[in-house]
Structures are given as C-alpha cells and as structure tokens.
Amino acid sequence: MITLRKTGSFFVGGRSVSVSGRTPYRVTLSSTSTRDYDPNGTYWIEAAYVQYFLQATPRYPVPLVLMHGGGLTGAMWEDTPDGRPGWLQRLLEEGVSVYVVDNVERGRAGFCALDDVWPERPLSRSDEESAKIYRFGYAGHRFPLGALRGLSAQTVPRWPGTMALQRQALIDVVARVGPCVLLGFSQGGGFVFDAADAARDLVRACIALEPHGVPASFDAGLPGTPALVVFGDFIEEDEAWRAHSARANASMAAWNAAGGRGERIDLPTLGVRGNTHMMMMDTNSDDVFRIVLDWLDGCAGMRVPG
C-alpha cells in the first residue's frame, strides 16, 4: 500500500522575455472565438516542471529525483508502453519519496514558441531512429515492440541548443529540493553527474542508466558520494554504444579520482539479459529496478533506522 503525506508540483528557473514590434494577427481559438492576437508583451520561459510524491513513512532519509532522457519527459517513469507499472509506481510501492522532472521545453515545463529565441530547428525522433538508438534490432531484446506506439506517443521534440539550460535547471531543482539522490537516464544521466558535481553538498548518491554526455573530469574533493552507472545488453555490438560505454568508464574513474565512490553494473554479468536502452520499459523492467534499489539500499546512510 502506498501512503503519501503530500503530492504537488512546482516550477524552477526560467527567465523573462519581452517581445515588441510584432504585427498582431487574427486567430481562431474555438468554434465561437475568433480574435486578434498580439504577440507583443512579457513572457516567462525556460522553467523546469517538477512533480513530487512524498511518503508518510519514507524508506530513505532523502528523496529520489528522476531525470528523463532526450526527447522524452517524466512520463517515461510512469506506466510502461504495454501497460505494466513503471519505475515511479515501483518506487512509491517501496516507500521512496520521488520528484519527477520535466526539463526545459519538455512535457509540462516552460516552453518557448517565440520566434528567434530558440533559433535551431527542433528534432523529432522517428520510430526507425528509436529502434536503432535504443537497440531494438538484436535477437533476444526485451523491449515490447508490439507497444512501440506507446513509446512513440510520449516522444517529444527537442532543441539541441537548450542543453545548458537543462543542465542548469537540474542544478536549480536540487537547490530547491535539498538533500537528495539523483537518477538519470541517457542524456539525463549526463545531467545528473553535472548536478552532483555542482551541488555536491546536497547530492547523497548519483545513478545513471546508460548515460551520455557524462563529464570527463570532476573537481577534487568529492565527499565520498556513491555513484552508479548501469548498462544493458548488446553494447559491444554497436559502435556508438561502445563509445558511450568507454566514456562512462572514464567518467567513473574521474569520479573516484576526485574522491567519490563510483561503480558500474553491466546487467548481462548478473545474468539479466536482453535489456535495451529503454531498460525501465523492457519486459524485465522490474528485475532491473530491483538491482538499482538494492544498490541504493546498500549505500551508507540511505536506510532509515527502524
């Protein structure tokens, strides 16, 4: 049974933008509403959205912050595309307090549709690109391909030029939440290491699922913070993923050299096979979840006495 003491949401960061000199134009907003729209004025953009679920009796003394991957939103942690409970549900069942981030220009976060503010073209991910990047093409993979539409439906456009905004937004989230554990996926896995380095007095542990964009070095003096990277199957079969894997190893070595306690788990070495990049959606997602939760349970100072 899940017993929460509080749920809610908030926005973090962003900035004010003023628009002037634009020509108003006629718009139709409904079958009974047509009016002139004036784009001139002041707007608040580039905020991150955070939804939280706080336990009445938490498993850990600090909450877990979930950071989605590129082209995705916090919805990726909810139900799987084929309708099984996702990691958010499992975390709440296990008594973990959770904050779920929709980063800048994703999901319910602050969006910017103003001309010339984000000059780059947004990128959308096709099913074909997803299948390649997520490693769905290998025999024995565990992603439920019959429900691929469920993953496609939650895939959103992304602007390559917002990475610095997203990185800072997660740092701002940590400052707002306070002491916490960070868990990030893919691009978000790189961001959690950036945030853990920048807010090292607040981050109690850092977990990244198949990250990319991980820092190559960290400033000395990390306070022994535990960190984990997790990789699935078929890594050696793919050139791009071999490179991501090698960079993650180098980042963990740099984390340890700076005073942290980093390690890596390769799921096939534990007998857990067939996992794609989308390990939190694969048909054995509960098995992967348990491995991550067991690791977190083993981190010093994480379990609440009693």
Side-chain angles (χ1 to χ4, degrees):
M1 183 175 67
I2 299 171
T3 305
L4 301 177
R5 65 175 176 84
K6 188 177 182 182
T7 65
S9 63
F10 55 86
F11 291 85
V12 169
R15 64 187 175 100
S16 179
V17 171
S18 294
V19 175
S20 62
R22 305 288 174 86
T23 302
Y25 54 93
R26 197 77 174 164
V27 295
T28 298
L29 301 177
S30 73
S31 60
T32 59
S33 177
T34 300
R35 64 180 178 85
D36 288 332
Y37 170 67
D38 185 354
N40 300 296
T42 303
Y43 302 83
W44 191 263
I45 64 170
E46 297 171 356
Y49 170 86
V50 184
Q51 186 176 28
Y52 59 85
F53 307 83
L54 304 182
Q55 299 280 355
T57 306
R59 182 188 191 96
Y60 303 133
V62 298
L64 186 67
V65 176
L66 298 179
M67 184 69 255
H68 58 73
L72 295 166
T73 73
M76 65 168 287
W77 304 109
E78 298 174 5
D79 287 358
T80 65
D82 57 345
R84 292 170 290 114
W87 281 24
L88 174 59
Q89 174 75 14
R90 294 302 186 220
L91 286 164
L92 297 180
E93 290 171 350
E94 294 292 341
V96 182
S97 292
V98 182
Y99 288 77
V100 183
V101 179
D102 279 3
N103 215 331
V104 178
E105 51 92 337
R106 308 286 175 82
R108 288 175 284 183
F111 189 88
C112 180
L114 302 171
D115 292 341
D116 304 323
V117 176
W118 294 345
E120 293 180 300
R121 288 184 179 180
L123 306 179
S124 295
R125 177 160 290 161
S126 67
D127 289 348
E128 291 77 11
E129 183 185 36
S130 293
K132 177 175 176 54
I133 292 175
Y134 298 160
R135 307 195 305 278
F136 293 166
Y138 296 99
H141 77 82
R142 300 294 295 266
F143 184 81
L145 276 181
L148 179 60
R149 183 176 296 177
L151 175 57
S152 299
Q154 63 181 271
T155 301
V156 297
R158 62 194 292 190
W159 276 256
T162 62
M163 287 186 293
L165 298 173
Q166 294 185 331
R167 184 178 294 109
Q168 183 59 48
L170 184 55
I171 295 170
D172 293 341
V173 168
V174 172
R176 170 74 179 263
V177 170
C180 61
V181 172
L182 299 178
L183 192 162
F185 166 70
S186 196
Q187 182 192 44
F191 290 155
V192 300
F193 277 104
D194 286 323
D197 191 27
R200 55 181 61 191
D201 57 327
L202 295 175
V203 176
R204 299 293 183 261
C206 186
I207 305 166
L209 309 178
E210 295 197 351
H212 64 83
V214 289
S217 63
F218 300 93
D219 292 337
L222 278 171
T225 307
L228 174 69
V229 295
V230 181
F231 279 84
D233 215 335
F234 319 115
I235 299 297
E236 291 304 314
E237 290 88 333
D238 187 282
E239 181 180 0
W241 279 108
R242 287 197 301 272
H244 289 320
S245 173
R247 282 189 285 268
N249 285 344
S251 185
M252 283 294 88
W255 183 267
N256 291 334
R261 293 186 291 110
E263 59 184 292
R264 171 175 172 150
I265 290 176
D266 287 278
L267 296 174
T269 67
L270 302 181
V272 180
R273 299 189 178 278
N275 284 105
T276 70
H277 190 44
M278 307 304 296
M279 60 183 69
M280 76 299 300
M281 299 179 183
D282 289 338
T283 56
N284 63 344
S285 57
D286 283 350
D287 296 335
V288 182
F289 170 78
R290 179 54 58 181
I291 290 168
V292 172
L293 191 72
D294 287 348
W295 179 87
L296 198 51
D297 281 347
C299 292
M302 283 304 299
R303 291 308 300 265
V304 174

